[in-house]
Amino acid sequence: QLQASGGGLVQAGGSLRLSCVVSGDGFRRSDMAWFRQAPGKEREFVAGIIWSVGYTYISDSVKGRFNISRGSSKNTMYLQMNSLRPEDTAIYYCAARTSTAVILTGAHYYAYWGQGTLVTVSS
């Protein structure tokens, strides 16, 4: 199971850090990712990580502003979001799939999803 948290209301230019706690030890064999979905839009890949080696990939839409990381001693994944913009407003989801050591950006590749956490950026 995945449990996402950390969303909230923030002004443009501000920062938030999202967390995703993974139950069990399956995360060690997983590729994990953050997606987001804005109202009326499709779910969009934001960032991904191959847990076993820590390799990350950030989408161009947030590159330079967002960073994905894993907790050093806990089964927790983070999304650090800086310089937030109103267009970043969305429900953010964490997701996991059995690792193939390739970060895939399509939502349909991920079998496990957290419940989502809402991020609202005001202008």
Side-chain angles (χ1 to χ4, degrees):
Q1 288 186 338
L2 309 177
Q3 182 75 30
S5 62
L9 174 63
V10 63
Q11 289 188 334
S15 297
L16 282 174
R17 189 177 78 160
L18 306 183
S19 300
C20 177
V21 177
V22 184
S23 301
D25 64 356
F27 64 94
R28 301 181 191 279
R29 301 179 293 276
S30 298
D31 301 333
M32 298 186 66
W34 288 98
F35 287 79
R36 66 185 181 184
Q37 189 165 19
K41 295 188 176 182
E42 293 186 354
R43 195 164 294 190
E44 173 192 18
F45 174 88
V46 175
I49 183 168
I50 300 173
W51 197 275
S52 59
V53 295
Y55 176 80
T56 64
Y57 175 73
I58 310 293
S59 72
D60 289 343
S61 63
V62 301
K63 191 172 292 182
R65 301 189 296 121
F66 290 13
N67 185 54
I68 186 172
S69 63
R70 58 184 181 179
S72 58
S73 60
K74 299 181 180 179
N75 52 342
T76 304
M77 175 176 68
Y78 301 102
L79 184 68
Q80 178 67 43
M81 306 186 295
N82 301 322
S83 301
L84 283 161
R85 304 167 180 170
E87 54 264 38
D88 295 319
T89 294
I91 299 174
Y92 284 71
Y93 299 89
C94 56
R97 61 187 297 272
T98 301
S99 183
T100 58
V102 176
I103 296 176
L104 299 175
T105 61
H108 62 281
Y109 290 112
Y110 292 80
Y112 308 98
W113 292 85
Q115 84 287 4
T117 185
L118 176 62
V119 172
T120 303
V121 184
S122 63
S123 58

